[in-house]
Amino acid sequence: HEYIRTQHLGTAAGQGLPYEILTGDTRDVSDRTLRIIMNEFRRFAEQRQWQRYGDVRSGWRDRVGDGNERSCHRRLRPRAGRS
């Protein structure tokens, strides 16, 4: 049992994941500590998502536009004196 736990600790450290999240083993962790671990992991995951997909969103915005530029299709207004 201890050998497997040691292997899981190494795997979790290598992946940058908390051991408790990787294995689900929370028997030696208090509820307050588990809450801190979960909050830190969520913060880390959000940062990784932003790093990975933030550039995709900005590239999409460059192609589609952000809504602030003038439209190339302008309404035609009749000239004064013409009907």
Side-chain angles (χ1 to χ4, degrees), residues 12 15-23 33-49:
Q15 294 296 317
L17 294 171
Y19 168 79
E20 295 77 13
I21 291 177
L22 179 71
T23 63
T33 304
L34 186 59
R35 181 181 293 233
I36 291 170
I37 291 169
M38 292 296 292
N39 286 338
E40 287 295 319
F41 177 69
R42 286 183 186 124
R43 186 176 300 128
F44 172 74
E46 287 175 3
Q47 288 174 351
R48 291 292 302 263
Q49 287 174 351

